[in-house]
Amino acid sequence: MQGQTLERQWRVLRALPAHPKSTTIPDLLQYLQATATTGSIKGLTVRTLERDIQTLETAFGGAIAVNRAAKPYRVSWQGLARLDGGIRLTDAQALALVLLQMHMGDIVPASLHKGLQPFFTEARSRLAQGAGALAHWPDRVRVLERRRPGYGPQVASAIVRVVCEALFQNRMLTAHYRRMGEDEAAEYRLHPLGLVRAQGVYYLIATAWDYPDVRHYALHRMTRAVMEARTARRPPDFDLDAHVASGAFHIPLKATPLTLVLRVPAENVRYLQEAPLAADQAITEDGDFCIARARVTDSLDLRTWLLSQGAEIEVVKPVALRRWMVETLSRALRPYQKPVLAPRTGKRRPRATARHPAKRRPQ
């Protein structure tokens, strides 16, 4: 008798729909009777099924959700595990995992990536079975970074795996790193603090040896990386978000911020309104133009952006920055003010000889 009760409750448990879907006791009873008309299900009543749900609710706790406010009340399975040993995901959970796999790149440590594979497999299977909007969502969204045309720097996957693992386990890292402009790589003993992908380039944020300075190390300039057994030293006041927000990736040209004043055609000012240069940006009208003021860091990124705007933006102040814009744009214009030379074909003109004199142009 006890064996029949256990078998019946096991069948009830497997028949529960995954949240957010749910079912009523009468509908659940009808389903069980239609799929298993013999054995422990034969003769099952609504009252017996209600007692089974109460027993299972006590045994599994929050994994079974019972909405007793509904009449008749509704029941569903909220656990992540599927009762056949697999993984049970909702459509929303499956979509989130598929998008994570699409966009995470190599920033998940290898030791965790392997453990996530069953979830990724089940998530794609779940979406493939669906016919709603969620099933097609991964084919309709993409994330693009603003960077120059062409391919980003290539990073060895082994380097990324070791760096991520050292960061994950808070271990020191020995890296052979080639600084910009140098041909040979030197050995660095690094304390990893964070990993940032900016404009298609991976940067390890770290301190070196016993120095307190926080520096950036581009992963594509690493030729070798080995995780050490020693624990990395982490400054107690270091915060990755604060480090990024401080403009650390902007390559500042001056220590103190400046008040930038721009003159922008009125029809183009909406871009600055949608994406302000700073929190204190203020825009006023000036005839067919607008004047935008903002306190910003004078950085290489700022000047590159100003140059990229061409005639759409005029730098009014500071005067030194305006003078730099004039000089830079003038130098950029000089090659285009020269006559365009025909490209060389690579063929050499034959030399004149007594037998083959050089041809003369007609007068």
Side-chain angles (χ1 to χ4, degrees):
M1 186 67 178
Q2 185 176 2
Q4 288 184 344
T5 302
L6 182 60
E7 180 191 357
R8 184 183 69 247
Q9 292 175 350
W10 175 247
R11 291 188 178 186
V12 171
L13 199 58
R14 295 188 63 178
L16 294 178
H19 183 80
K21 296 180 181 179
S22 62
T23 186
T24 64
I25 297 298
D27 288 344
L28 181 60
L29 177 61
Q30 184 179 359
Y31 172 80
L32 289 168
Q33 290 175 341
T35 55
T37 57
T38 60
S40 60
I41 300 301
K42 188 178 180 180
L44 182 63
T45 64
V46 170
R47 183 56 187 155
T48 303
L49 186 53
E50 288 176 344
R51 286 198 296 267
D52 286 342
I53 292 296
Q54 290 177 352
T55 301
L56 294 172
E57 186 182 10
T58 302
F60 288 91
I64 295 180
V66 180
N67 181 10
R68 290 185 172 82
K71 300 296 182 182
Y73 65 77
R74 308 187 69 86
V75 61
S76 63
W77 172 259
Q78 290 197 134
L80 181 61
R82 213 166 51 203
L83 296 171
D84 59 1
I87 302 167
R88 170 174 280 174
L89 299 172
T90 66
D91 290 343
Q93 291 168 338
L95 176 62
L97 285 168
V98 169
L99 294 177
L100 171 64
Q101 187 181 30
M102 287 173 59
H103 299 294
M104 70 180 181
D106 298 316
I107 61 174
V108 173
S111 57
L112 296 184
H113 194 282
K114 185 177 181 180
L116 290 172
Q117 284 305 315
F119 291 87
F120 294 146
T121 301
E122 177 65 21
R124 290 194 174 275
S125 175
R126 173 82 181 188
L127 288 187
Q129 296 170 6
L134 287 182
H136 303 289
W137 189 252
D139 299 325
R140 299 175 181 176
V141 294
R142 292 294 181 268
V143 176
L144 300 178
E145 292 183 281
R146 180 175 294 179
R147 57 184 180 186
R148 69 170 179 82
Y151 295 98
Q154 300 300 304
V155 184
S157 57
I159 296 290
V160 180
R161 286 197 299 270
V162 172
V163 169
C164 286
E165 199 64 31
L167 185 62
F168 177 62
Q169 298 191 29
N170 196 33
R171 301 282 190 84
M172 284 189 65
L173 191 71
T174 297
H176 288 207
Y177 186 77
R178 179 177 50 80
R179 298 176 60 182
M180 182 181 292
E182 296 183 357
D183 297 328
E184 299 295 329
E187 185 176 284
Y188 286 74
R189 303 288 297 282
L190 302 176
H191 299 267
L193 302 175
L195 184 65
V196 172
R197 179 176 172 175
Q199 305 298 320
V201 179
Y202 285 107
Y203 294 95
L204 174 66
I205 315 302
T207 59
W209 293 285
D210 295 326
Y211 298 109
D213 312 73
V214 176
R215 299 292 176 88
H216 302 170
Y217 300 89
L219 263 57
H220 64 272
R221 296 198 187 108
M222 289 187 183
T223 59
R224 186 169 180 265
V226 178
M227 184 176 67
E228 298 186 4
R230 293 178 56 189
T231 301
R233 184 185 67 251
R234 190 177 186 87
D237 58 344
F238 178 78
D239 180 84
L240 184 59
D241 288 333
H243 180 73
V244 173
S246 68
F249 285 87
H250 290 174
I251 315 179
L253 301 177
K254 293 183 180 179
T256 57
L258 55 82
T259 299
L260 181 65
V261 181
L262 303 176
R263 191 168 182 261
V264 187
E267 63 269 19
N268 296 330
V269 78
R270 64 182 182 274
Y271 298 112
L272 291 178
Q273 293 171 336
E274 294 173 352
L277 292 171
D280 64 348
Q281 174 179 285
I283 297 177
T284 57
E285 294 184 1
D286 183 21
D288 294 335
F289 292 85
C290 290
I291 303 298
R293 290 178 173 82
R295 190 77 171 164
V296 298
T297 300
D298 187 7
S299 65
L300 181 61
D301 287 344
L302 174 68
R303 298 197 180 198
T304 301
W305 177 78
L306 289 172
L307 290 172
S308 70
Q309 300 306 303
E312 302 302 325
I313 281 182
E314 177 190 354
V315 175
V316 179
K317 291 182 180 180
V319 175
L321 180 57
R322 178 183 175 88
R323 188 180 300 116
W324 178 87
M325 290 286 294
V326 172
E327 294 173 354
T328 304
L329 291 173
S330 298
R331 288 199 306 271
L333 187 61
R334 286 171 193 165
Y336 298 95
Q337 294 173 330
K338 300 177 183 178
V340 178
L341 301 178
R344 294 183 179 180
T345 61
K347 296 181 180 180
R348 298 185 61 182
R349 188 176 180 180
R351 295 177 60 186
T353 62
R355 190 172 180 180
H356 299 284
K359 294 182 180 180
R360 295 177 177 271
R361 291 183 178 180
Q363 299 296 327

